[in-house]
Amino acid sequence: SIQQKIGICLVRIADYHIVYYKDWRFWLLLLVISISGNLVFNMMPYKAILECVFIIISLTCFKMSIINLFCIINILLWGISLLLSGMYQSDAFSFSSTIHVFMKIYIGLALVLIIKKCFVSYFCKIMFFFAIVSLLCFMFNCFNIVLPYIPVDGTNIDGGHVYRVSSIVYTQLCNLDDGNSLSLRNCGPFWEPGAFQGFINMALIFDCFYNPHNRGWIIRTIVFILTIITTFSTGGYIVLFIMLFFFICQSCSIQNQYKFFLKIILVSIGIYCFISFDFLGNKISNDSGRMNLTISDFCSASFFFGYGYSEKGFSKSSIESVSSIFNLIRYSGLLGICLYFMPFLFCRQNVRSIVFFI
């Protein structure tokens, strides 16, 4: 009967959620996401925690026999290139920092292999929780209400000053040197808005292109978009615009006669925001540090082999950029970037995977 079918569906949904929160892999992913940028971990023995997670992940991979040999060899080659370039280029080579950078990359790769098909769903659930919490906290900040916090004195992000404080699940850009003045940007639980938007944009991409469009999909999409808007992040807005434009182009649920008008509306909004907001048009046109490359950089050996992972090595580089891609060139050079992205080149490609890669 119809009642029996409905009852079976409800039981299955309930069982799914019970199993969902009982899955230890979900909580391990939550921990790994948190140690990737939650300021609370600056007040803890961060490296010891990272090493423990590395051991747990490695033992799990060994027990489940799921290590992808090609990917592991590729990551090892990348790590070796980072070590060798650092030892050669830098007078103050940071061996331990390089090892911990390698651990982070290995943990990320191995955890995806452990979680497998549930990774997208788990990641989106975690980020949806952080998005909801961050929007509520951001709303309090908009009314000039400073939430209870822990000052993060140990961080060197602000040059010894305390310009951001942690509420464990939310970071406030609160300048303690200036009477607890607030900067209204949504950091989520991470150290800065640009980091948070990266996680949220990834969740939005997963939800739009990889998750089944169930009943709660529209609500999650709206929450993710609002969260990215409240970060006021230059990169966040650019990625969001490109993702929405591509989604409109390839969506099967939007009729063709409406796609043209939606794209016109989206482009018009994009142009307006670019002209009106200083952190978009003005920042992109005047911030030469994000694209500070010359012909001599491309001709140098260091451009191909990098400087390794150390501050002194970075100071030798003429690439004075905050771009993630250029920083990766500073770390391990063009050779390192090729090794880093090689697994993607050997996977079966489709339009979605290419757009996600970009």
Side-chain angles (χ1 to χ4, degrees), residues 112-174:
V112 172
L113 295 175
I114 291 170
I115 300 177
K116 298 179 180 177
K117 292 183 179 180
C118 293
F119 176 80
V120 168
S121 175
Y122 287 7
F123 184 86
C124 290
K125 289 284 187 182
I126 292 170
M127 297 319 302
F128 183 68
F129 167 77
F130 282 138
I132 291 291
V133 171
S134 72
L135 286 175
L136 291 173
C137 295
F138 180 79
M139 185 172 62
F140 279 107
N141 284 172
C142 287
F143 288 101
N144 205 33
I145 299 173
V146 179
L147 301 171
Y149 61 80
I150 306 169
V152 189
D153 300 315
T155 179
N156 58 2
I157 296 175
D158 301 314
H161 301 281
V162 182
Y163 293 154
R164 62 201 76 210
V165 295
S166 174
S167 301
I168 302 178
V169 292
Y170 186 70
T171 298
Q172 299 172 95
L173 295 177
C174 182

Side-chain angles (χ1 to χ4, degrees), residues 178-241:
D178 188 23
N180 289 9
S181 63
L182 284 168
S183 176
L184 292 180
R185 295 185 65 188
N186 189 349
C187 297
F190 300 99
W191 75 92
E192 63 112 10
F196 188 39
Q197 67 79 19
F199 283 92
I200 296 295
N201 261 313
M202 185 177 292
L204 183 59
I205 291 171
F206 282 156
D207 235 355
C208 287
F209 299 109
Y210 296 93
N211 255 348
H213 291 177
N214 50 35
R215 188 176 180 181
W217 170 75
I218 295 179
I219 295 175
R220 290 196 305 270
T221 300
I222 292 172
V223 168
F224 285 147
I225 291 174
L226 286 175
T227 305
I228 294 167
I229 290 174
T230 57
T231 64
F232 299 104
S233 166
T234 307
Y237 277 49
I238 293 171
V239 173
L240 176 63
F241 173 83

Side-chain angles (χ1 to χ4, degrees), residues 320-337:
E320 298 174 0
S321 172
V322 296
S323 163
S324 298
I325 294 295
F326 287 152
N327 276 339
L328 197 58
I329 293 176
R330 291 164 69 178
Y331 298 166
S332 56
L334 197 60
L335 174 64
I337 284 189

